[in-house]
Every structure is written in structure tokens, then in C-alpha cells.
């Protein structure tokens, strides 16, 4: 009787797995058909998932503190979040079907205009699609995402920020002299090569003299154009940048000498999905601005955390009373926040406040200093 029982058990398990996969496959097709006519592409992302990967993500134990519970119970946001969309690119992301899906959409939403050999070679060096190592399956992973907004100056939030399991920082993340307000911990540094190099020039006088470096820091590239893939490829191979605007640059001058597992790059389909679902600005429908617009670096890192961590707190992000504070916490004197065509910061502000009010994340806010 024991062999027969074991066979029944495996047959039942296999049947359940088949049903789950079939349901997910049908759901993916339905959602792709629903979104195929939008300005921002929402590409077919099923090709990135083998059956085993999809089942592993579907059946994994969810931490009791997970924000996903709040999402499922929220009538507004439960239809917006799609946690199965891949967040990162890796060696398993590149194949012929995915290339065909992404080759017609320009970065950051696809691979249009990118040499196929550059994309394939770069991704072949990335051996993991995971951003956070959870440890125990039901461990509650708490993340802080730290922007550079002036609201942090004098906030004394440094200890609160550093108490999180992982801390994301972006662009001109000045630490020295502001430890009490912004903390010192850095787990992930997010950027495009353009925003990183500009930050090193623009904020040098404010104290941003080099990109954060450390043995535990991981670097998250945002693939805004070919430049990001070329820099990442050079960093992964430990060689100088061979071509393009950064030709001759030594990646180790930015990041130190790091192993390949220290580098990550967001998936174009993830950027397309979060743009369409959360940050679909009117600027995308204007022929004068749609080629310029994309979500800000901070927004993409915050949405990355919301799709990766169990609990997320945002510090230094734009709030409704942004005019009360300087543009950056490290500005030597008050400098009003300026709005540019490439981002829609007011829309991002409304999104963060809505997510905060619905207990999906925590947004640090305070009134104007007296």
C-alpha cells in the first residue's frame, strides 16, 4: 500500500502544479491582450519564466508582515500590482522569444536600437534574478528607500533608516555630515549611468565626490539606453569601457573591484509595467514630451522595493508640502524644487501619499520647520 500511496501523492501534486500553471498562463495572456494598445508597451514576459520558476514564486511562503496582504485587500491597488512580472534581467532573460518581444520598444521599455550581441553578452554574466536574500522563508524583510529630498535635513531619521534590513539610495547620496538625518547604511545604490555621472559633477561641491563603495553594496542599473548596458558589461568583466560616451572609463573607479553578483539591472518589462500601472503620466501622450519622459530614479527604486521587500518605508521623497523644503537635504541654502519634462514629480507625490494612506508602505512626512 505504501508505494501506491506515494504514487497517488505525486500524481496529486503534479495535477495541482499543472492547474496552477495553466491558471497563471491564462491570466498572463488575458492581461497582455488587455494592455497591448497602450502607449507604454507591456511586453509578453512569460518567456522569462520556466515552469519551475513560476511555480516556485507562486508557492513560496509569504511572510506574515508582507505588504502583499494589504495590496490584495485594497480595492484600488490590487488590480495594479502584478508581482509575477520579473524585476531584474539576468542570463535567463535572454532568448529568441524575449528578443522578438522587446526589440521594437526603445529603452527603458525594451531593447530597440541595442546591438543583440551586447545585450546577450551582458546578461549572460548575470547569474541571479534575485535581489534580496531572504534567509528563512517567512522572514520579514524591511526595506528603506532614501531619496535626497530636503525634507530629511534636520529630521534625525538616521537611526530609523539604518534599522531596516536593506537600504536603497540613489544618485547624489551624500552621507558625510548628514549621518544623523539620513543614516549610513547602504545595501543598494540605484542609478542610470547618466544620472550617476551627472551627480558626480553637479553635487561634488555638496559632498558627493564618489559613488558609494563597500563590500556589501550592490549596484542596480536602470537601462535607460545603450550606455547602461556597455558600462555594466565592462564592470562585470573588469575591463575599461570599450565604446560610447564613457569610452576609456574604468568601472572600478566608480564601484570598486566587485564580483558579478554585486551588479543588477532592472528588466525593461518591469519598467514598462510600473510606468503603465502607476506612473502613466499625461506627458506620455504628448508628442513633444513622450520621448523624454520616464519615471524618476527614486520612483523606480521605490517600486523595486515594493515588489521585493515585505515592508517598505520611503524617506526623502516628494510630499504635498514640498515647497516648505529645499530641493536636497545637502543644499547649503534653500533651493526650491524645480520640475522638468523628463519626470512627473507631482504625479509621483500623489502615488506615494496614496500608498501611504492605504498602509501599503510608509512615507516619511513632516510639517515645515518653525
Amino acid at each position: 500500500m505504501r508505494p501506491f500511496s506515494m504514487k497517488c501523492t505525486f500524481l496529486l501534486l503534479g495535477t495541482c502544479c499543472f492547474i496552477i500553471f495553466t491558471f497563471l498562463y491564462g491570466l498572463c495572456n488575458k492581461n497582455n491582450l488587455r494592455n497591448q494598445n497602450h502607449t507604454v508597451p507591456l511586453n509578453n514576459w512569460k518567456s522569462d519564466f520556466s515552469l519551475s520558476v513560476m511555480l516556485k514564486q507562486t508557492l513560496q511562503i509569504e511572510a506574515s508582515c508582507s505588504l502583499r496582504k494589504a495590496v490584495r485587500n485594497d480595492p484600488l491597488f490590487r488590480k495594479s500590482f502584478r508581482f509575477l512580472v520579473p524585476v531584474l534581467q539576468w542570463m535567463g532573460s535572454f532568448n529568441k522569444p524575449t528578443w522578438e518581444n522587446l526589440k521594437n520598444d526603445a529603452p527603458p521599455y525594451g531593447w530597440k536600437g541595442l546591438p543583440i550581441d551586447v545585450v546577450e553578452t551582458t546578461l549572460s554574466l548575470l547569474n541571479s534574478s534575485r535581489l534580496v536574500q531572504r534567509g528563512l522563508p517567512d522572514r520579514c524583510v524591511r526595506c528603506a528607500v532614501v531619496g535626497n529630498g530636503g525634507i530629511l535635513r534636520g529630521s534625525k531619521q538616521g537611526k530609523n533608516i539604518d534599522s531596516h534590513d536593506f537600504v536603497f539610495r540613489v544618485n547624489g547620496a551624500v552621507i558625510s555630515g548628514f549621518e544623523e538625518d539620513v543614516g549610513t547604511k547602504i545595501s543598494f545604490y540605484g542609478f542610470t549611468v547618466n544620472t550617476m555621472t551627472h551627480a558626480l559633477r553637479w553635487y561634488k561641491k555638496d559632498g558627493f565626490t564618489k559613488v558609494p563603495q563597500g563590500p556589501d553594496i550592490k549596484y542596480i542599473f536602470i537601462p535607460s539606453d545603450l550606455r547602461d548596458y556597455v558600462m555594466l558589461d565592462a564592470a562585470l568583466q573588469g575591463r575599461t569601457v570599450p565604446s560610447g560616451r564613457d569610452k576609456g572609463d574604468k568601472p572600478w573607479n566608480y564601484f570598486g573591484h566587485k564580483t558579478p553578483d554585486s551588479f543588477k539591472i532592472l528588466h525593461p518589462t518591469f519598467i514598462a509595467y510600473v510606468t503603465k500601472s502607476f506612473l502613466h503620466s499625461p506627458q506620455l501622450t504628448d508628442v513633444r514630451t513622450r520621448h523624454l519622459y520616464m519615471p524618476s530614479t527614486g520612483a523606480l527604486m521605490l517600486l523595486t522595493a515594493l515588489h521585493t521587500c515585505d515592508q517598505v518605508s520611503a524617506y526623502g521623497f516628494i510630499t504635498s508640502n514640498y515647497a516648505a523644503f529645499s530641493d536636497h537635504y545637502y543644499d547649503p541654502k534653500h533651493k526650491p524644487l524645480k520640475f522638468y519634462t523628463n519626470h512627473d514629480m507631482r504625479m509621483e507625490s500623489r502615488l506615494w501619499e496614496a500608498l501611504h494612506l492605504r498602509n501599503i508602505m510608509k512615507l516619511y512626512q513632516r510639517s515645515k520647520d518653525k
Side-chain angles (χ1 to χ4, degrees), residues 56-76:
K56 181 179 179 180
Q57 292 204 6
T58 304
L59 300 175
Q60 69 181 3
I61 297 174
E62 184 176 277
S64 59
C65 69
S66 177
L67 61 85
R68 300 186 183 199
K69 290 182 172 62
V71 168
R72 286 196 298 269
N73 293 327
D74 189 274
L76 176 63

Side-chain angles (χ1 to χ4, degrees), residues 23 34 54 64 121 133 139 156 164 181 184 225 238 263 294 335 339 364:
F23 170 75
R34 183 186 300 151
M54 289 191 73
S64 59
T121 300
Q133 295 299 327
R139 173 193 174 194
K156 295 181 171 56
H164 291 76
D181 293 333
T184 60
D225 60 24
F263 298 100
M294 66 178 285
K335 184 168 62 176
F339 297 94
Y364 175 70

Side-chain angles (χ1 to χ4, degrees), residues 16 22-23 73 105 107 116 121 124 135 146 149 166 187 195 226 229 244 251 258 271 284 311 327 337 339:
C16 291
T22 303
F23 170 75
N73 293 327
D105 302 317
I116 188 171
T121 300
S124 71
V146 185
F166 299 98
S187 310
T195 62
L226 175 61
Y229 289 92
K258 306 283 285 187
I271 299 175
L284 281 167
Q311 293 183 352
D327 190 358
L337 175 63
F339 297 94

Side-chain angles (χ1 to χ4, degrees), residues 148-188:
N148 301 319
I151 193 172
L152 285 177
R153 191 180 184 102
S155 66
K156 295 181 171 56
Q157 291 300 305
K159 289 183 178 180
N160 289 336
I161 290 170
D162 287 348
S163 69
H164 291 76
D165 297 304
F166 299 98
V167 177
F168 293 72
R169 299 185 193 267
V170 298
N171 298 336
V174 179
I175 299 294
S176 181
F178 299 94
E179 295 88 348
E180 187 178 20
D181 293 333
V182 303
T184 60
K185 189 173 184 176
I186 308 175
S187 310
F188 302 103

Side-chain angles (χ1 to χ4, degrees), residues 10 28 52 59 64 73 96 135 176 187 201 222 242 245 275 289 319 325:
F10 281 114
C28 295
S52 61
L59 300 175
S64 59
N73 293 327
K96 187 174 181 181
S176 181
S187 310
R201 290 197 299 270
I222 297 171
R245 292 177 59 182
T275 301
T289 59
T319 56
F325 307 98

Side-chain angles (χ1 to χ4, degrees), residues 46-156:
K46 295 188 296 299
S47 56
D48 271 355
F49 281 81
S50 65
L51 172 60
S52 61
V53 173
M54 289 191 73
L55 289 175
K56 181 179 179 180
Q57 292 204 6
T58 304
L59 300 175
Q60 69 181 3
I61 297 174
E62 184 176 277
S64 59
C65 69
S66 177
L67 61 85
R68 300 186 183 199
K69 290 182 172 62
V71 168
R72 286 196 298 269
N73 293 327
D74 189 274
L76 176 63
F77 283 109
R78 66 188 175 198
K79 294 182 179 179
S80 299
F81 278 88
R82 295 173 61 190
F83 291 107
L84 284 179
V85 175
V87 176
L88 298 176
Q89 299 183 78
W90 67 302
M91 64 171 59
S93 301
F94 188 87
N95 49 54
K96 187 174 181 181
T98 307
W99 175 261
E100 292 299 319
N101 286 331
L102 295 175
K103 71 178 184 179
N104 296 318
D105 302 317
Y109 311 113
W111 292 335
K112 184 177 181 179
L114 304 180
I116 188 171
D117 59 319
V118 172
V119 177
E120 183 175 16
T121 300
T122 302
L123 299 189
S124 71
L125 300 171
L126 297 170
N127 60 9
S128 175
S129 62
R130 187 177 297 277
L131 186 62
V132 169
Q133 295 299 327
R134 180 172 294 276
L136 296 174
D138 59 347
R139 173 193 174 194
C140 184
V141 176
R142 299 173 60 250
C143 297
V145 186
V146 185
N148 301 319
I151 193 172
L152 285 177
R153 191 180 184 102
S155 66
K156 295 181 171 56

